[in-house]
């Protein structure tokens, strides 16, 4: 903090190309406050910082930036807004609500014509879509995206009406089935996953591109995504629907390996639970290659018990 003050006194420019990135890449906002107090950030730097706080899921930092005048609808040099970034990064609902509070528009297109509303639908964020509607932004999507949104929101009557009036939408949805199933699974949308499966998406459809931000590997299945992102209810649903429990992603990882890693070596260990590991073991998943101790005793006990009975 003192070094930052000294550098500012000597004329350092906080709008240097890398500064907004480095300042944002922490949830300790001490230095950020000093730089904001200097009044030297330009509009582009403010927009960059706001988007990067969405990357870091830093609600306090996001609130700080908004209170200091950052605009959730300002187009940054990536060609999108902070609300687009919040949608892409699956920010928790309270952060999305904060951006809406400060004037975010989920219908605003980015440079590719994509709205945050559309991203919410594709990623299965039913609660975000509901929030937008409550805030006066109707979910006015059309074509296959209307069907995707209906699946995400578990709107059975809308699904039935759309598939009856536009049956070609089903085949269009199935073209993206692996991606949609992986993304819905990764955010824990059990009802949405069930709807996609009922539409005909194969339970082991490949999420070919994966999600580099979250570390979901290429050629993952929805089971990999749900296990890695600590969504045990989705794990259970997928297994009930016949998911292959020992399938490997492009990095050679199984769902149970990812479930254990999610508990001990992820950014979301605070939401860890042994439930995914338990359900996978009960379904016949192999614990081969998983080291004990894992640093999570409840999981270790499940693994020991499984190995002693095989």
């Amino acid at each position: 903090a003192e070094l930052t003050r000294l550098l500012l006194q000597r004329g350092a420019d906080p709008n240097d190309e890398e500064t907004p990135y480095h300042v944002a890449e922490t949830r300790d906002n001490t230095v950020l406050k000093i730089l904001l107090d200097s009044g030297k950030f330009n509009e582009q730097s403010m927009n960059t910082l706001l988007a990067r706080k969405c990357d870091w899921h830093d609600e306090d930092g996001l609130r700080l930036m908004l209170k200091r005048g950052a605009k959730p609808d300002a187009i940054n040099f990536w060609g999108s807004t902070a609300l687009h970034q919040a949608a892409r990064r699956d920010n928790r609902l309270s952060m999305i609500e904060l951006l809406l509070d400060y004037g975010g528009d989920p219908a605003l297109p980015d440079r590719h014509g994509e709205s945050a509303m559309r991203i919410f639908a594709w990623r299965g964020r039913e609660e975000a879509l509901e929030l937008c509607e409550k805030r006066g932004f109707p979910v006015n999507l059309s074509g296959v995206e209307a069907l995707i949104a209906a699946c995400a929101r578990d709107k059975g009557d809308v699904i039935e009406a759309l598939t009856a009036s536009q049956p070609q939408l089903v085949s269009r949805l199935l073209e993206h089935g692996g991606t949609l199933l992986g993304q819905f699974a990764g955010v824990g949308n059990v009802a949405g996953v069930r709807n996609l499966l009922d539409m005909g998406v194969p339970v082991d459809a490949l999420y070919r591109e994966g999600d580099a931000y979250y570390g979901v590997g290429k050629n993952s299945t929805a089971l990999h995504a749900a296990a890695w992102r600590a969504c045990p209810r989705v794990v259970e649903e997928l297994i009930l629907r016949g998911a292959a429990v020992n399938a490997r992603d492009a990095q050679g990882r199984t769902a149970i390996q990812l479930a254990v890693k999610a508990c001990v070596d992820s950014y979301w260990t605070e939401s860890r639970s042994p439930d995914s590991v338990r359900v996978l073991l009960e379904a016949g998943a192999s614990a081969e290659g998983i080291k004990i101790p894992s640093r999570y005793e409840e999981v270790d006990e499940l693994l020991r018990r499984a190995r002693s009975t095989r």
Side-chain angles (χ1 to χ4, degrees):
E2 291 305 318
L3 178 59
T4 301
R5 292 190 181 95
L6 179 62
L7 290 170
L8 287 170
Q9 290 170 5
R10 295 189 176 183
D13 182 5
N15 300 295
D16 172 83
E17 186 176 350
E18 295 297 325
T19 300
Y21 288 94
H22 296 318
V23 170
E25 292 175 354
T26 176
R27 293 188 183 182
D28 181 347
N29 293 303
T30 304
V31 171
L32 175 59
K33 290 175 183 176
I34 293 169
L35 292 171
L36 287 168
D37 288 341
S38 76
K40 293 184 178 182
F41 275 134
N42 61 30
E43 184 177 350
Q44 179 174 296
S45 293
M46 293 288 282
N47 297 341
T48 299
L49 282 161
L50 195 64
R52 292 294 284 141
K53 284 303 179 185
C54 295
D55 285 336
W56 274 76
H57 299 254
D58 180 5
E59 186 168 347
D60 290 338
L62 189 72
R63 183 179 292 104
L64 173 64
M65 293 301 304
L66 290 167
K67 285 184 175 180
R68 295 299 186 94
K71 304 297 183 185
D73 279 352
I75 300 293
N76 53 46
F77 71 85
W78 294 297
S80 58
T81 71
L83 191 54
H84 287 100
Q85 199 71 355
R88 293 188 181 103
R89 299 314 190 210
D90 297 336
N91 282 182
R92 56 186 171 275
L93 197 62
S94 56
M95 292 183 68
I96 294 164
E97 189 166 20
L98 192 56
L99 289 164
L100 295 178
D101 287 343
Y102 279 83
D105 181 353
L108 187 71
D110 65 7
R111 67 181 175 190
H112 301 295
E114 186 171 61
S115 68
M117 190 87 75
R118 179 183 182 277
I119 298 168
F120 288 141
W122 274 80
R123 295 194 68 84
R125 295 295 303 280
E126 80 288 354
E127 79 284 28
L129 292 171
E130 298 292 341
L131 175 63
C132 290
E133 200 155 75
K134 288 177 182 177
R135 291 298 189 88
F137 298 99
V139 184
N140 288 330
L141 298 172
S142 60
V144 70
E145 288 169 353
L147 182 57
I148 291 167
C151 287
R153 300 174 74 191
D154 198 24
K155 299 285 187 179
D157 55 338
V158 178
I159 294 171
E160 185 176 350
L162 284 171
T163 54
S165 63
Q166 303 177 67
Q168 74 278 9
L169 295 182
V170 177
S171 60
R172 291 189 60 195
L173 181 148
L174 294 177
E175 289 173 7
H176 306 283
T179 295
L180 290 167
L181 194 61
Q183 293 182 164
F184 279 40
V187 298
N189 188 342
V190 180
V193 164
R194 191 177 294 123
N195 288 327
L196 291 175
L197 294 173
D198 289 345
M199 294 286 293
V201 177
V203 70
D204 291 324
L206 292 181
Y207 185 7
R208 294 192 182 279
E209 69 274 32
D211 187 331
Y213 174 79
Y214 272 104
V216 178
K218 293 181 179 181
N219 288 339
S220 292
T221 66
L223 188 63
H224 289 105
W228 172 230
R229 294 191 60 188
C231 301
R233 291 181 59 227
V234 178
V235 169
E236 187 169 18
E237 179 68 23
L238 291 167
I239 289 173
L240 286 172
R241 300 294 288 262
V245 296
N246 289 312
R248 295 181 182 271
D249 66 12
Q251 298 178 45
R253 303 175 299 183
T254 64
I256 194 167
Q257 288 172 341
L258 292 167
V260 174
K261 185 176 173 64
C263 291
V264 299
D265 187 22
S266 73
Y267 285 110
W268 44 91
T269 55
E270 68 275 4
S271 60
R272 71 184 185 178
S273 161
D275 291 347
S276 291
V277 175
R278 176 183 53 77
V279 172
L280 284 160
L281 287 170
E282 289 173 353
S286 171
E288 182 182 354
I290 300 175
K291 294 180 180 179
I292 300 175
S294 67
R295 305 195 309 277
Y296 188 22
E297 181 55 37
E298 290 178 76
V299 161
D300 290 344
E301 180 58 31
L302 289 170
L303 294 171
R304 291 189 192 101
R305 194 181 310 150
R307 288 177 181 178
S308 68
T309 58
R310 292 181 183 177

